[in-house]
Amino acid sequence: MPKKVLILSGGWAGHEPEKTSEIFRHDLTTAGLDVTIATTLDALLAPDLARTYDLIVPNWTMAELTGPQEAALCAAIESGVGLAGIHGGMGDAFRPNANYQFIVGGQFVAHPDNHHDYLVHITKPNDPIVAGIDDFVFHSEQYYMHVDPGNEVLATTTFETRAAPWTNGTVMPAVWKRHHGAGRVFYSSLGHNAQQVELPPVR
């Protein structure tokens, strides 16, 4: 039986959730997984959520989870379901939901200078997630985030901005993994829209 994935697709249109969710679906299906895309957060209320899915991919910038939705998602991850996502679809999702942010290990707060060139530095090149990817320059929003110090960081960026010069020199985690209960969590702040997600080192 193939492992099953639930992609939650919605939220702020500027991150192109429909297009990026289809990229995720393509790559996950190619890897042999069984993928479902849901366009309602009530998909989290399925009574057998934790038994049905092996991985949940939030791709839903902003918005808010109801109490039952948040409780169901937290329980699923704690029981062993994985959580993985990118950019605002996971790191700027469900801003009022602190329990969700606890699982993610970080929360977007700003992107000084908006879209600009910055270096992505691979900090653990032997990790299988980033193996074979060299440091690269990326033109996008550079996410300044509040980050859990317990994350296992796989890539960082260093801030050099005009809009917020007091942040200059700050080394910011950009890609990490972590555990939450029995669940494994992956996050990448890279990939503002479908065009950026399709760039080889990001994808």
Side-chain angles (χ1 to χ4, degrees), residues 61-99:
T61 304
M62 302 181 201
E64 180 176 358
L65 295 169
T66 65
Q69 290 168 347
E70 183 178 33
L73 177 59
C74 292
I77 305 307
E78 289 174 9
S79 73
V81 177
L83 188 78
I86 67 163
H87 200 62
M90 178 164 159
D92 190 22
F94 318 133
R95 293 177 179 180
N97 298 101
N99 291 327

Side-chain angles (χ1 to χ4, degrees), residues 29-154:
T29 301
T30 300
L33 283 70
D34 181 357
V35 179
T36 298
I37 295 179
T39 56
T40 171
L41 295 174
D42 280 342
L44 295 171
L45 300 179
D48 54 353
L49 182 71
R51 295 188 300 275
T52 300
Y53 296 104
D54 301 282
L55 172 66
I56 296 173
V57 178
N59 194 24
W60 203 295
T61 304
M62 302 181 201
E64 180 176 358
L65 295 169
T66 65
Q69 290 168 347
E70 183 178 33
L73 177 59
C74 292
I77 305 307
E78 289 174 9
S79 73
V81 177
L83 188 78
I86 67 163
H87 200 62
M90 178 164 159
D92 190 22
F94 318 133
R95 293 177 179 180
N97 298 101
N99 291 327
Y100 167 79
Q101 294 170 24
F102 183 36
I103 294 173
V104 174
Q107 171 63 36
F108 161 83
V109 291
H111 44 68
D113 291 355
N114 295 314
H115 291 262
H116 67 283
D117 289 341
Y118 63 90
L119 179 70
V120 178
H121 171 58
I122 306 299
T123 58
K124 291 200 171 182
N126 293 327
D127 188 277
I129 293 176
V130 294
I133 302 174
D134 296 324
D135 293 357
F136 62 98
V137 174
F138 187 41
H139 185 86
S140 184
E141 295 170 338
Q142 186 179 22
Y143 265 20
Y144 200 98
M145 304 187 74
H146 290 167
V147 180
D148 189 325
N151 295 338
E152 184 174 351
V153 178
L154 305 181

Side-chain angles (χ1 to χ4, degrees), residues 85-88 90-91 104 143 145 174-177 185-189:
I86 67 163
H87 200 62
M90 178 164 159
V104 174
Y143 265 20
M145 304 187 74
V175 181
W176 64 75
K177 63 182 182 179
V185 178
F186 168 80
Y187 175 71
S188 169
S189 67

Side-chain angles (χ1 to χ4, degrees), residues 151-163:
N151 295 338
E152 184 174 351
V153 178
L154 305 181
T156 62
T157 70
T158 300
F159 274 76
E160 293 295 335
T161 76
R162 297 182 304 277

